[in-house]
Amino acid sequence: MNLAVLILIVINCLIYFLQYTDKIQVEDMYSSYLNVFVRKDYSRLIKSGFAHSSIMHLICNMYSLYSIGNAIVFMFGTVMFLVIYFVTMILGQVFALLLRHASHDDYTASVGASGAIFGLIGVYFMVILRLYGFSGFQSIIPSMIPLILISFMPGIDSKGHICSMAVGVVIGYILMTL
C-alpha cells in the first residue's frame, strides 16, 4: 500500500473518531452552498471531504480509496495521485454546489471522501479507455455499477459524485494526451 493512500485513510479514520467522541462536530465540516459561497468558508471544500456521516459511510469510502487510490498511484505516482485527489475533491464540490444553487438548493449538506474517490474513478476510466479502448472500458463497467447505483440512493450526494467524476474524466483525458 502506498504511504499517501495510507495517510489519507488514517486521517479520515481519525477525523471520524473525533466526530464520534464529539471533539469535532460534523456540522462544522460539511459543505453547502450557503456555508461555502455565502459565508465564504472555503475551507469546507476540503474539510467536508474528511468528515463522514456514519461508520458504514467511512468503511465503504476507505475501502474504495484503498482500491482505486493504489491503482492511481501505480499509474501516475504519489504526487500526481495527491494532486488528482485534492483537485477532484475541491472542483467536484464547487461544481456540485453551483448545480445545487441553480436548482434553488442552498442548504443540502455534503460530507465524505467519495467525491475525491469518484474523481479518481473518472481518471481510471480514461486510462482504461485510452489503453484498451472500449472493450477495456466495458470490462470495468460491471464493477462500477454498484457505486453508480448507490450514488442515487436517498441521502447520497449524487451531484457531488457526478461532478467529481466529470472532473476526473477531464483530468484523465489531459494526462493521457500529454
Side-chain angles (χ1 to χ4, degrees), residues 12-76:
N12 275 278
C13 291
L14 177 62
I15 288 174
Y16 184 78
F17 174 76
L18 292 173
Q19 286 174 231
Y20 184 75
T21 59
D22 291 330
K23 305 289 186 215
I24 293 177
Q25 301 300 315
V26 73
E27 294 82 16
D28 297 330
M29 299 185 74
Y30 71 81
S31 67
S32 69
Y33 184 86
L34 182 67
N35 284 326
V36 174
F37 293 113
V38 175
R39 294 183 181 143
K40 299 186 183 329
D41 187 356
Y42 303 114
S43 67
R44 287 180 185 252
L45 293 170
I46 294 176
K47 291 190 300 188
S48 64
F50 290 95
H52 288 82
S53 60
S54 69
I55 190 68
M56 190 52 84
H57 184 206
L58 176 72
I59 290 168
C60 289
N61 279 347
M62 294 308 97
Y63 175 76
S64 297
L65 176 56
Y66 168 79
S67 299
I68 193 72
N70 284 302
I72 297 296
V73 168
F74 179 77
M75 293 176 196
F76 297 106

Side-chain angles (χ1 to χ4, degrees), residues 6-152:
L6 178 61
I7 289 170
L8 286 173
I9 290 171
V10 168
I11 290 170
N12 275 278
C13 291
L14 177 62
I15 288 174
Y16 184 78
F17 174 76
L18 292 173
Q19 286 174 231
Y20 184 75
T21 59
D22 291 330
K23 305 289 186 215
I24 293 177
Q25 301 300 315
V26 73
E27 294 82 16
D28 297 330
M29 299 185 74
Y30 71 81
S31 67
S32 69
Y33 184 86
L34 182 67
N35 284 326
V36 174
F37 293 113
V38 175
R39 294 183 181 143
K40 299 186 183 329
D41 187 356
Y42 303 114
S43 67
R44 287 180 185 252
L45 293 170
I46 294 176
K47 291 190 300 188
S48 64
F50 290 95
H52 288 82
S53 60
S54 69
I55 190 68
M56 190 52 84
H57 184 206
L58 176 72
I59 290 168
C60 289
N61 279 347
M62 294 308 97
Y63 175 76
S64 297
L65 176 56
Y66 168 79
S67 299
I68 193 72
N70 284 302
I72 297 296
V73 168
F74 179 77
M75 293 176 196
F76 297 106
T78 301
V79 172
M80 189 54 68
F81 159 74
L82 289 169
V83 168
I84 294 166
Y85 187 86
F86 284 102
V87 167
T88 58
M89 174 192 289
I90 294 167
L91 288 181
Q93 197 57 255
V94 166
F95 293 133
L97 292 173
L98 292 174
L99 275 176
R100 281 193 210 102
H101 179 65
S103 62
H104 307 290
D105 180 9
D106 294 341
Y107 300 100
T108 297
S110 179
V111 294
S114 54
I117 292 164
F118 271 82
L120 297 173
I121 291 168
V123 170
Y124 189 76
F125 277 168
M126 292 309 294
V127 171
I128 296 301
L129 192 58
R130 174 72 180 207
L131 294 178
Y132 303 107
F134 190 69
S135 63
F137 186 73
Q138 284 178 305
S139 70
I140 64 170
I141 288 174
S143 63
M144 295 297 124
I145 288 173
L147 286 174
I148 293 166
L149 291 176
I150 287 169
S151 294
F152 295 99

